[in-house]
Amino acid sequence: MTWSSCIEIVNCARAHGVLLWSFGVFMGVMGGASPVWAQAQPGAAARGEVFVVLASEGEGSMDPSLADIPALRQPPFNTFRSMSVLSRSTAQISVERPMEVALPNGRHLRIELERVLVDGRYRVRISINTPGRADYLSLLEVLASPGDPFFVAGQNWQGGTLVIGVRIGQRPAAR
Amino acid sequence: MSRESEHEESILHRYFDGELESEETAEVRRLLSARADLRMDLERMGEIRSLLRESVEKSAAELDSDDLFARIEARIDRDGEEPKRDVRPRLVAIEGGKRTRRVAAVVLGAVAIAAAVLLFVIRPTESSGVLDDSIAVHSGDASESVATVETVFQTEVIEVDFGDNSGAIFAIEGEHGERHAVVWLADVQPTEGIVE
């Protein structure tokens, strides 16, 4: 092996070291910037809206205030021929301050905001139970897109089915 | 073995295999009716064929054809592979000028990666700012606009504990391609207080 070959080996090793270091830093920063692994922001808050709908397969009318929610006209909701809004509640929810809504059947819906992701979605925990008991929905964790409702349905009440819509945050104006 | 015996054995085998013409078949049948030893030979041939058939059927039943096929494929792939190259790094002596250019290229590459890193370091800061703004908006600011937030329009159910109930999760596609999650639970009424 010649002397110049030895120098080349050292230089090559250094160059590879630089590249590897840079790549490591790059991947680390990429990982940190990704919305999926975003950390919680202390003090995160959002507007929470809960609307409770009584849906029935019997003849009836659709509540006009639900016209802006086309999801309620798609399966599995399209078998209902009447829907009426029983209550609509809004509140500011934060990590420290959950939202509680009393349902007509005596159970309580509780929404806890866990954090806001960098992509704008909200991570929330939902539970629906009779106070002091765990008799219906112990835990539901959702990544909610701002302003898009999600639904918890299936509770029987007065011959119909309760459909609870939950909307966190507000839909971006650009859509 | 006499010539006659050889003939008898041969014709018996051909009879057994169904290879004889009608005249020969008639001859064998005459022989069989007259000779107990030939009938016994024919019976043995039948037994041997039965044993062979059973053995073949048993082997076929035990054969995992998928596994065999996979092994054959793996063998073919392995045989088709190129011979392994020498994994030791090749040491090439490069002239001084070339070496300088190579080092410069490496440094430039490192600078480019560093620039990309900086870009991604800056971006989350902007994102965080927007998030802070949106939180401020949600806190009651009059100018309610979060249009600058890069939103993923998909609501996802991460975890659900149905407890003692049974349930299902649906996804409804919205008009703008957004997805609405629907959690549907059976409403099992508590049995407390029910007197039978």
Side-chain angles (χ1 to χ4, degrees):
Chain A
M1 184 183 292
T2 62
W3 179 242
S4 64
S5 298
C6 288
I7 293 168
E8 183 59 26
I9 293 164
V10 172
N11 283 338
C12 205
R14 281 180 185 162
H16 281 111
V18 168
L19 276 176
L20 279 173
W21 178 85
S22 304
F23 184 70
V25 172
F26 179 74
M27 291 306 289
V29 173
M30 283 286 283
S34 171
V36 179
W37 299 294
Q39 296 300 305
Q41 295 90 26
R47 178 178 179 270
E49 180 190 357
V50 175
F51 50 94
V52 181
V53 175
L54 179 62
S56 170
E57 292 176 10
E59 287 294 336
S61 59
M62 302 298 279
D63 197 310
S65 68
L66 300 174
D68 65 333
I69 309 173
L72 288 175
R73 296 191 290 275
Q74 292 185 45
F77 299 123
N78 61 347
T79 55
F80 296 122
R81 286 190 281 180
S82 73
M83 284 190 185
S84 57
V85 177
L86 301 178
S87 69
R88 201 180 277 269
S89 321
T90 57
Q92 197 69 21
I93 56 174
S94 65
V95 174
E96 299 83 13
R97 192 175 54 194
M99 178 181 182
E100 276 213 28
V101 174
L103 301 177
N105 59 2
R107 288 178 177 138
H108 281 221
L109 167 78
R110 183 182 170 92
I111 307 171
E112 295 170 68
L113 176 64
E114 287 194 319
R115 64 183 187 228
V116 186
L117 302 191
V118 174
D119 64 12
R121 288 184 295 175
Y122 299 94
R123 183 173 174 139
V124 291
R125 290 166 64 97
I126 311 283
S127 60
I128 300 174
N129 292 304
T130 303
R133 289 162 59 182
D135 60 350
Y136 189 61
L137 176 61
S138 308
L139 170 70
L140 168 65
E141 283 212 47
V142 175
L143 281 183
S145 182
D148 284 337
F150 58 93
F151 306 91
V152 181
Q155 295 179 88
N156 302 321
W157 195 68
Q158 289 196 342
T161 302
L162 292 180
V163 176
I164 301 164
V166 179
R167 197 159 15 204
I168 310 292
Q170 293 184 325
R171 189 174 290 185
R175 269 168 72 187
Chain B
M1 188 181 286
S2 69
R3 196 167 177 176
E4 193 179 353
S5 296
E6 281 179 19
H7 171 71
E8 282 173 359
E9 190 179 338
S10 169
I11 201 168
L12 197 62
H13 273 287
R14 286 167 59 211
Y15 172 80
F16 183 76
D17 292 335
E19 294 172 355
L20 295 181
E21 299 295 328
S22 57
E23 287 178 11
E24 290 174 311
T25 305
E27 184 195 341
V28 172
R29 281 178 183 160
R30 274 196 304 275
L31 284 170
L32 286 171
S33 61
R35 303 260 304 270
D37 59 323
L38 291 180
R39 287 199 300 271
M40 203 173 286
D41 285 347
L42 190 67
E43 200 173 315
R44 281 198 202 104
M45 284 180 203
E47 284 171 4
I48 290 167
R49 176 177 279 185
S50 297
L51 283 171
L52 272 171
R53 185 177 289 146
E54 279 173 24
S55 174
V56 167
E57 283 173 356
K58 192 181 172 191
S59 299
E62 287 172 354
L63 178 70
D64 187 343
S65 56
D66 290 339
D67 182 51
L68 177 67
F69 195 65
R71 273 187 285 154
I72 291 168
E73 275 191 327
R75 184 67 181 268
I76 290 168
D77 289 345
R78 201 163 57 234
D79 290 347
E81 278 177 8
E82 289 178 11
K84 285 186 178 177
R85 291 175 185 162
D86 190 358
V87 293
R88 287 175 298 175
R90 281 180 64 197
L91 304 178
V92 182
I94 300 170
E95 296 300 321
K98 286 183 182 175
R99 189 178 66 206
T100 309
R101 280 201 295 277
R102 188 170 171 178
V103 170
V106 168
V107 169
L108 275 174
V111 168
I113 291 171
V117 168
L118 272 174
L119 181 69
F120 279 94
V121 166
I122 289 163
R123 280 187 62 187
T125 313
E126 289 170 355
S127 242
S128 301
V130 171
L131 268 177
D132 290 340
D133 288 345
S134 72
I135 290 162
V137 168
H138 293 143
S139 303
D141 193 321
S143 59
E144 291 192 352
S145 172
V146 288
T148 48
V149 178
E150 191 184 335
T151 309
V152 177
F153 301 115
Q154 303 296 346
T155 294
E156 296 171 42
V157 172
I158 304 170
E159 189 185 350
V160 60
D161 179 5
F162 291 122
D164 294 332
N165 288 334
S166 58
I169 299 169
F170 301 88
I172 301 174
E173 183 127 348
E175 291 172 328
H176 305 284
E178 75 275 19
R179 213 163 44 196
H180 304 276
V182 179
V183 176
W184 201 289
L185 280 88
D187 193 1
V188 180
Q189 299 297 329
T191 52
E192 286 177 17
I194 295 176
V195 180
E196 292 186 339

